[in-house]
Amino acid sequence: MDAAGTVDLMLRGAAAGVSLILAATLVPLARRSLSALFGTLFALGAMAYSIASSALVADQLPALAAALKPLAMMTGVFFWWFALALFCDARRWRASRLIPLAIVSAACAAILVFPSPALDRATIVLHELVNAALMIHVIVIIAGGHQDDLVQPRRKFRTIWVGAIALTVLSVAVAELWKLFADLPSSMHLVESMAILVVACGIAAWSIGAKSEFFPEERSASTGTGTLAPTTGIGTVLEAQDRHLALRLRTAMDQGAWRTPGLTVAGLAERLGTQEHRLRAVINQGLGYRNFAAFLNEYRIGAAKTALADPAASRRQILQIALDLGYGSIAPFNRAFREMTGMTPSEYRRAALKAVDIPAEAAAE
C-alpha cells in the first residue's frame, strides 16, 4: 500500500471512529428526540460509508464492504431525515418521507438479487440522483429557515451546515460516478476522505456541544377541535427586563400584531422598540418556541379554527380567512393548518359545522 493509500485509510478510519462516537452519544437521546434518533442513524450510515467506500477494504475485506454497503447507501436518506427533524420542528412525521428510503432499498435489493455490471451502474446513478435531490432540498430548508430560527446555536450552525453539505455531496457524488468509468485517482480518494472527516468532526462537535438545543424532547401536537390557546406562559429563566419585554410582547400579540402580513422577528422587534436578539431570546427561552413561524401560527391557526367553526361565517371563503390572518396566500395557510391539526381547513370546517348541523354544501371553500 502506497503513502496515499495509507493516508486515505487513516482519514476514513478517523471519520468512522468520530461517526461511531457521535452515534453512541446520541443513542441515549433517541427515545425522546426524533432529531437524535435520525442523527444516530445518519452517524451509523456515515461510519458504514467511510469503511465500505475504501478501495483497500473492498480489495482486502470484500465481505465486510458488502455487509456495510446497504447501510452506507442509506446515509443520504438518514441525513435528510436528520436535517428535517433538526431544522423544521415538525409536529408530525409524514409517511411520504419514507419514499426515498423505499427507492434506495429497492436499489440495494436489486444489486443483491440480480448482480450484473449494467444493473450496478444503473442503481449507482439512481442512488446518486436521489441523494442529490435530497441534499438540494436540505440546502433549501437550511437557507430558507435562517431568519425564523429562534435557537441561536442552531441558527449559527445553519451557515456552516450548508457549506459542509455542498462540499461533501459534491465530493462523494463525483467520486461514485467517476468509479463507474475509471479508477479514482489517489488525490480524489484523499479529497473525499478529508471531506467526510471534516464534516463528521464538525457535526459531532456542534451536536455534542449543544445537545439540549439540537435535540429537545419532542412535544405532542394538539389535534383537538377547540380553540387553540397560544402558549404564552412566561418562563422564570428570563431576567427582569426581559420579563417586561415578554409582557409587552404578549400585549402586542393580543392586540393583533400577528395579523400583520409578512411579519418578521426584525419587524416585531422594531414595533416593540427592542433589539432583535433580545426578542429572539424571549420567544425562545421565555415562551418555549424554537421557530418564529410556529410562534405566529399558534395565534393564527387558533383564530382560523374559531372562524372556520363559526356557523355565521360558513359562507366566508377560506382564502379570505387566510389573508385576514396575515398569510400572503392560501398555500402556506393550508400547510400550517394541516401541520398543527392534522386536517385541511376544509375538512376542519366540515367537521365543525356538522357538529352544529350546518350542511357541508352550505360552507364556502
Side-chain angles (χ1 to χ4, degrees):
M1 182 170 56
D2 58 13
T6 301
V7 174
D8 177 68
L9 185 61
M10 291 175 62
L11 291 173
R12 290 178 184 276
V18 171
S19 298
L20 196 57
I21 291 172
L22 176 59
T25 303
L26 296 182
V27 163
L29 307 177
R31 285 175 174 258
R32 64 176 179 83
S33 172
L34 203 58
S35 53
L37 172 61
F38 293 146
T40 301
L41 292 176
F42 166 62
L44 292 174
M47 180 272 295
Y49 180 82
S50 299
I51 298 172
S53 60
S54 168
L56 181 63
V57 172
D59 289 339
Q60 302 297 321
L61 300 169
L64 176 61
L68 291 176
K69 188 172 182 178
L71 179 59
M73 290 183 68
M74 304 294 179
T75 305
V77 178
F78 293 156
F79 177 81
W80 182 58
W81 287 352
F82 176 46
L84 289 175
L86 184 61
F87 292 113
C88 291
D89 298 319
R91 290 171 176 249
R92 292 177 174 81
W93 194 251
R94 302 171 187 170
S96 60
R97 291 171 181 169
L98 295 174
I99 294 176
L101 179 67
I103 295 175
V104 175
S105 297
C108 290
I111 293 175
L112 294 174
V113 178
F114 307 106
S116 72
L119 184 59
D120 283 353
R121 290 190 177 190
T123 53
I124 289 174
V125 171
L126 174 63
H127 177 245
E128 294 308 322
L129 289 176
V130 170
N131 277 346
L134 295 181
M135 294 310 110
I136 290 172
H137 186 216
V138 169
I139 291 173
V140 169
I141 289 172
I142 293 173
H146 182 265
Q147 289 301 318
D148 274 355
D149 199 339
L150 299 173
V151 183
Q152 190 61 17
R154 188 177 67 174
R155 192 164 179 256
K156 290 180 178 179
F157 190 40
R158 285 176 182 265
T159 304
I160 299 175
W161 196 271
V162 172
I165 291 172
L167 175 63
T168 305
V169 171
L170 180 61
S171 172
V172 171
V174 170
E176 292 300 325
L177 292 175
W178 191 311
K179 292 175 187 177
L180 295 178
F181 306 101
D183 291 335
L184 198 66
S186 58
S187 58
M188 285 295 295
H189 278 294
L190 293 178
V191 170
E192 181 186 31
S193 303
M194 181 62 72
I196 295 171
L197 178 58
V198 169
V199 170
C201 290
I203 293 174
W206 279 86
S207 300
I208 295 173
K211 283 185 188 178
S212 60
E213 292 87 353
F214 280 14
F215 310 111
E217 185 170 353
E218 305 294 339
R219 295 183 298 176
S220 60
S222 173
T223 56
T225 56
T227 301
L228 183 64
T231 305
T232 49
I234 299 173
T236 57
V237 297
L238 297 177
E239 297 180 358
Q241 59 178 352
D242 287 335
R243 285 199 294 271
H244 177 65
L245 174 58
L247 290 172
R248 288 195 290 123
L249 171 63
R250 167 68 182 272
T251 299
M253 298 301 282
D254 287 346
Q255 292 174 349
W258 50 271
R259 291 182 181 273
T260 305
L263 184 64
T264 63
V265 183
L268 185 55
E270 183 178 357
R271 178 170 180 159
L272 295 173
T274 188
Q275 297 171 312
E276 182 180 339
H277 72 87
R278 281 191 60 203
L279 182 59
R280 286 180 179 277
V282 165
I283 299 175
N284 176 225
Q285 299 170 20
L287 305 182
Y289 292 91
R290 296 169 59 81
N291 184 286
F292 185 66
F295 172 62
L296 291 181
N297 285 335
E298 289 282 1
Y299 288 90
R300 290 175 173 176
I301 301 305
K305 291 169 74 174
T306 300
L308 292 170
D310 183 3
S314 62
R315 302 292 299 174
R316 191 179 179 198
Q317 290 190 343
I318 291 178
L319 173 60
Q320 188 58 53
I321 293 175
L323 296 176
D324 289 347
L325 295 173
Y327 292 98
S329 63
I330 192 67
F333 170 63
N334 284 340
R335 283 196 301 269
F337 195 94
R338 184 158 194 154
E339 181 68 34
M340 294 189 67
T341 67
M343 307 169 69
T344 66
S346 298
E347 292 169 344
Y348 183 88
R349 169 178 263 177
R350 283 194 292 269
L353 296 182
K354 182 178 180 181
V356 292
D357 296 326
I358 302 294
E361 58 271 17
E365 298 301 321

